[in-house]
Amino acid sequence: MHGNLDVTMAPDLREALCWAVDRHSAVVVDLAGSPRVDPAGLGVLIRAHGRSRQRGGVLCLVQPSRFVLTVLHTMHVDGVFPIFDDCVTALRWVRAEAAASAAAASVLNSR
């Protein structure tokens, strides 16, 4: 992402996140180039998170700015998203979660 997550970017961001969430169980959103978020941008992230959860997935945020972190905390949604310092760590976490889910499913199926 590059630019503020605001009302001008919200329609394109919504479309991109819906596309990604509908096709992937884990979506990683790199916010390193997005210094600010407004209510429209925050709403898009929260709706995408909900859509992902409904499908059994997860939406992760990477490198949110201090401002974005403050907004997430103020709105009490900072605990909703897995947040990472870099994409490599986020992708490793996603892979580990997928492996753990597969292992749990295997144990349940063997009973």
Side-chain angles (χ1 to χ4, degrees), residues 12-83:
D12 292 338
L13 178 60
R14 183 180 305 109
E15 184 178 336
L17 289 178
C18 284
W19 184 92
V21 165
D22 288 348
R23 286 160 181 79
H24 304 282
S25 61
V27 176
V28 176
V29 182
D30 187 351
L31 297 175
S34 301
R36 298 200 175 278
V37 63
D38 74 1
L42 181 60
V44 169
L45 290 175
I46 291 170
R47 281 188 294 279
H49 162 74
R51 187 178 185 117
S52 180
R53 295 282 301 195
Q54 287 176 341
R55 289 162 172 71
V58 63
L59 182 86
C60 304
L61 304 180
V62 174
Q63 288 187 323
S65 68
R66 183 178 303 275
F67 181 87
V68 172
L69 284 172
T70 300
V71 170
L72 293 172
H73 179 73
T74 301
M75 300 308 295
H76 305 286
V77 294
D78 51 331
V80 168
F81 302 95
I83 298 174

